[in-house]
Amino acid sequence: MMIHDGFNQWRKLETLCDEDRKKLLNMTDEEMKDSFYQELAFGTAGLRGKIGPGTNRMNEQVIARATRGLAGVIEKRGQKAMDCGVAIAWDVRERSERFMEVAASMLASCGIQVHIFSGIRPTPMLSFAVRELRTQAGIVVTASHNPKEYNGYKVYWKEGSQIRDDIADEISREIAKFDYSVWPEKSFDEYKDEGFIHIIDEALEEKYYALTLAKAVEEDIKKDISIVYTPLNGTGNLPVRRVFKARGFDNIHLVEEQTEPDSSFKSVGYPNPEDFKAFEKALALGKEVDADILIATDPDCDRVALVAKDASGEFIPFTGNQTGALLLEYILSRREVKGDLPANGAVVKSIVTGDIGRRICDHFGVAMFDALTGFKNICALANEWDDTGAYEFLFGYEESIGYVYGDHVRDKDAVVTSMMVAEMAAYYLSIDKRLPEVLGEIFKAYGYQGEKLLSVVKEGQEGQALIQGIMADLRENPISSVESLKVEKVVDYAEGVEGIGTSNVLEYRLDDGSCFFVRPSGTEPKIKLYIYTNDKDEEKAKEKIEWIESAVLRRFDLK
């Protein structure tokens, strides 16, 4: 009954675009059910969903209502917060610019100043803009690496990092005060003419680039390194190429079909560089031009993946954990040699990221902290240290190919990371080493880390129920052993962990030092299994991965 009520209410909305009205009137019963069985939940990742009409979809009405909720939270903080305003960026996805216009207009209709870029920009530049302009909040319209059918809406707070639970909950309470008919009083162009909506000055972008380039560690490197780069039809094309050029990396080969913005992502399909399939065209070009490394950034250019050629000429893809370990070892070792590694330096990783980074940090005397999944939590510690001065934030990363180096951005940043990956690869080539060889040396020095990430997608209402059932059953009947390995400890983050926080994550620690995590995704309809194994024998470590994977899949009938 509620589904049909929602459908009938939406048919009466005058603000529906022609495309959504047509989709609404031609919905099957199944499409209606999936579009209206729930509201898109506003969480610490904001909103994300498939584009289309309905309460469970991304559309202008959902954007307007969410932004009215955000405006209510800002209004409560007084006129100063309203004058500081909100910065907004958007990416290449379908309707992203239109969603930006609706959000900007809604804020302006509430008397809140808005700052927008002159066109598509990478997500990290929005984080920088919030910090530089000292706005009260920021918005990025993006679905990051999701399939083309998706779009999203991420909210940032005044520190330049994504909102955490307290602010998200406050916004959610404000959103609930409004229905889907809430709408700006005037048009985007009218508010722009009235001075409520401002174009961000190019000087801000120039400062972002200057601070990014200032993070360089080594200049005595092999600048003619051959690099294949693909922005996967996203926002990374101009920013990443600019920093490459400024650093003197001129031997850049672009995947032409994936260079220009394209909301259909027809050249790549699923624009997630974490999936090696996204490198298909980059790999072909790499072989053609005899590249040393391949770099891909996701559509909003906050995540970056790496493939590197080994001594035999084979191209080896690196996981997020491996790239993180390489960057940590490179940055900390070179800065130690140069004598500018701070005594109170600190690195932050997510709880589901492997522990090899901790061993690297221990070696260099750098503190390592764990945070809940997501850069909102990783950067929360950097925000805290701004106030306390307890540590100097050096580097943050998570296994899902997100990294940030330095403190001018408080989110993962594929622009500075791409620059550092190129520098790192060029440095090692200068001393006749390739990245796969360097990774082997890291494993030899710190111990081999076996790893695997398994994601099981469960769409719709039934899928959500299944995922919730899996987590409930794990809590009621925890796994006690895997083959010959005994479970020594189970950590339920839903109960809260001191110094880290609360999240719907289960961690299993085994008696040989291996571990695995089970976590429902906060942004996608999937449940994730993260597996990490330790052993002096690489093959034995891989065998243990198979044991754990088989045990969990068998337990929940997911094969």
Side-chain angles (χ1 to χ4, degrees):
M1 187 65 179
M2 291 176 59
I3 291 173
H4 285 89
D5 287 346
F7 174 81
N8 289 327
Q9 289 170 9
W10 273 64
R11 285 202 308 174
K12 299 174 185 176
L13 291 176
E14 297 180 356
T15 55
L16 285 179
C17 66
D18 291 341
E19 181 181 352
D20 278 356
R21 189 171 297 282
K22 183 177 179 180
K23 286 182 179 179
L24 195 72
L25 296 178
N26 289 284
M27 276 184 177
T28 64
D29 287 343
E30 190 61 32
E31 289 171 334
M32 184 190 304
K33 178 181 177 182
D34 196 43
S35 298
F36 287 96
Y37 84 88
Q38 66 174 6
E39 292 184 340
L40 280 181
F42 189 94
T44 53
L47 300 165
R48 195 175 296 183
K50 292 181 178 179
I51 301 166
T55 59
N56 190 37
R57 293 287 186 265
M58 286 297 299
N59 49 64
E60 287 83 349
Q61 291 68 37
V62 166
I63 292 288
R65 183 172 179 249
T67 307
R68 185 62 187 88
L70 171 61
V73 172
I74 294 173
E75 288 169 342
K76 288 181 178 179
R77 282 157 173 77
Q79 190 61 49
K80 183 178 179 180
M82 296 170 68
D83 290 342
C84 288
V86 178
I88 307 179
W90 68 99
D91 72 0
V92 305
R93 287 181 179 270
E94 182 183 345
R95 298 204 211 176
S96 280
E97 186 169 2
R98 174 58 180 152
F99 288 172
M100 174 277 294
E101 292 178 351
V102 171
S105 301
M106 180 57 75
L107 291 166
S109 71
C110 297
I112 296 171
Q113 295 293 312
V114 182
H115 306 269
I116 65 171
F117 290 94
S118 59
I120 59 171
R121 294 295 187 276
T123 286
M125 197 175 283
L126 182 278
S127 172
F128 178 75
V130 170
R131 291 172 65 78
E132 186 69 13
L133 295 173
R134 299 187 177 183
T135 61
Q136 181 62 40
I139 298 169
V140 179
V141 180
T142 178
S144 187
H145 57 282
N146 283 71
K148 65 180 181 180
E149 297 83 7
Y150 284 75
N151 211 329
Y153 175 99
K154 295 196 292 189
V155 178
Y156 292 68
W157 212 234
K158 59 184 179 179
E159 300 87 357
S161 50
Q162 293 178 49
I163 55 171
R164 301 185 75 196
D165 289 347
D166 56 342
I167 302 298
D169 291 345
E170 190 177 354
I171 294 172
S172 291
R173 290 192 293 271
E174 286 295 316
I175 290 173
K177 296 177 181 179
F178 302 94
D179 62 26
Y180 292 95
S181 65
V182 66
W183 197 254
E185 295 177 359
K186 301 177 184 178
S187 72
F188 174 80
D189 288 336
E190 287 175 307
Y191 285 121
K192 195 174 176 183
D193 290 342
E194 291 176 5
F196 279 103
I197 299 173
H198 315 270
I199 303 297
I200 293 172
D201 194 284
E202 287 185 10
L204 180 143
E205 299 184 42
E206 293 300 319
K207 187 171 182 179
Y208 167 81
Y209 287 118
L211 290 171
T212 297
L213 292 166
K215 299 310 298 179
V217 177
E218 289 281 359
E219 285 298 338
D220 186 17
I221 55 179
K222 192 175 175 61
K223 291 288 185 71
D224 63 346
I225 180 175
S226 178
I227 301 172
V228 165
Y229 171 59
T230 172
L232 298 181
N233 300 116
T235 60
N237 178 29
L238 297 180
V240 172
R241 288 169 62 190
R242 174 166 174 168
V243 297
F244 282 163
K245 183 176 182 179
R247 289 296 310 281
F249 296 119
D250 294 323
N251 194 8
I252 307 296
H253 308 274
L254 298 173
V255 180
E256 294 295 340
E257 309 97 310
Q258 297 173 348
T259 299
E260 296 301 318
D262 179 12
S263 63
S264 73
F265 303 109
K266 58 182 176 293
S267 73
V268 64
Y270 178 35
N272 182 2
E274 194 174 11
D275 185 343
F276 188 49
K277 293 176 184 175
F279 275 90
E280 180 181 358
K281 293 185 181 298
L283 184 59
L285 179 59
K287 292 176 180 178
E288 178 184 332
V289 300
D290 194 27
D292 296 301
I293 60 172
L294 320 177
I295 295 175
T297 54
D298 70 342
D300 67 325
C301 198
D302 63 354
R303 300 162 81 242
V304 58
L306 167 67
V307 176
K309 187 168 61 180
D310 67 9
S312 71
E314 182 180 358
F315 285 94
I316 308 297
F318 293 94
T319 68
N321 282 293
Q322 292 168 347
T323 300
L326 284 164
L327 285 167
L328 264 183
E329 174 71 20
Y330 172 71
I331 292 168
L332 298 186
S333 66
R334 298 317 301 160
R335 289 190 63 171
E336 183 182 62
V337 168
K338 291 177 174 294
D340 70 345
L341 190 60
N344 66 337
V347 172
V348 186
K349 72 173 185 66
S350 69
I351 57 174
V352 296
T353 297
D355 280 337
I356 194 166
R358 186 180 307 282
R359 299 195 285 274
I360 294 171
C361 285
D362 287 345
H363 175 78
F364 290 101
V366 171
M368 166 71 85
F369 292 86
D370 283 318
L372 294 177
T373 305
F375 264 73
K376 59 184 176 289
N377 298 305
I378 289 171
C379 290
L381 285 171
N383 296 336
E384 179 184 318
W385 298 332
D386 277 348
D387 296 330
T388 67
Y391 293 95
E392 181 177 332
F393 180 71
L394 295 177
F395 188 76
Y397 74 112
E398 57 185 4
E399 49 72 40
S400 56
I401 62 172
Y403 319 89
V404 64
Y405 175 43
D407 61 2
H408 62 292
V409 167
R410 287 292 158 85
D411 200 3
K412 48 191 179 290
D413 184 350
V415 181
V416 72
T417 305
S418 295
M419 181 187 81
M420 293 308 299
V421 163
E423 177 190 310
M424 173 178 66
Y427 167 77
Y428 285 120
L429 275 176
S430 298
I431 57 174
D432 296 322
K433 291 183 180 180
R434 293 188 173 273
L435 293 181
E437 178 186 353
V438 177
L439 182 63
E441 292 176 351
I442 289 173
F443 285 150
K444 185 176 181 180
Y446 302 105
Y448 182 78
Q449 176 178 276
E451 62 173 293
K452 186 168 186 177
L453 168 63
L454 180 71
S455 295
V456 179
V457 177
K458 294 294 177 183
E459 298 268 11
Q461 188 173 9
E462 293 79 7
Q464 287 300 308
L466 177 60
I467 290 172
Q468 291 170 16
I470 289 172
M471 296 303 292
D473 190 53
L474 264 178
R475 290 187 167 103
E476 292 170 9
N477 306 288
I479 296 171
S480 59
S481 65
V482 176
E483 296 289 341
S484 60
L485 305 176
K486 302 296 182 184
V487 174
E488 284 191 334
K489 185 179 182 181
V490 179
V491 181
D492 188 350
Y493 287 87
E495 297 175 354
V497 174
E498 186 176 356
I500 296 180
T502 303
S503 185
N504 188 15
V505 180
L506 286 168
E507 174 185 355
Y508 283 80
R509 289 280 169 180
L510 307 180
D511 59 3
D512 72 329
S514 300
C515 64
F516 64 94
F517 301 80
V518 184
R519 181 182 79 89
S521 172
T523 58
E524 300 170 271
K526 62 177 61 171
I527 186 166
K528 295 184 174 183
L529 171 63
Y530 307 79
I531 304 171
Y532 296 104
T533 59
N534 294 303
D535 203 283
K536 293 179 180 179
D537 184 335
E538 182 176 340
E539 293 306 313
K540 187 65 175 176
K542 291 178 179 178
E543 183 182 17
K544 291 176 183 178
I545 288 175
E546 294 177 2
W547 292 353
I548 295 171
E549 178 182 358
S550 178
V552 177
L553 293 184
R554 185 171 61 247
R555 170 74 180 271
F556 298 110
D557 194 26
L558 293 178
K559 270 195 171 177

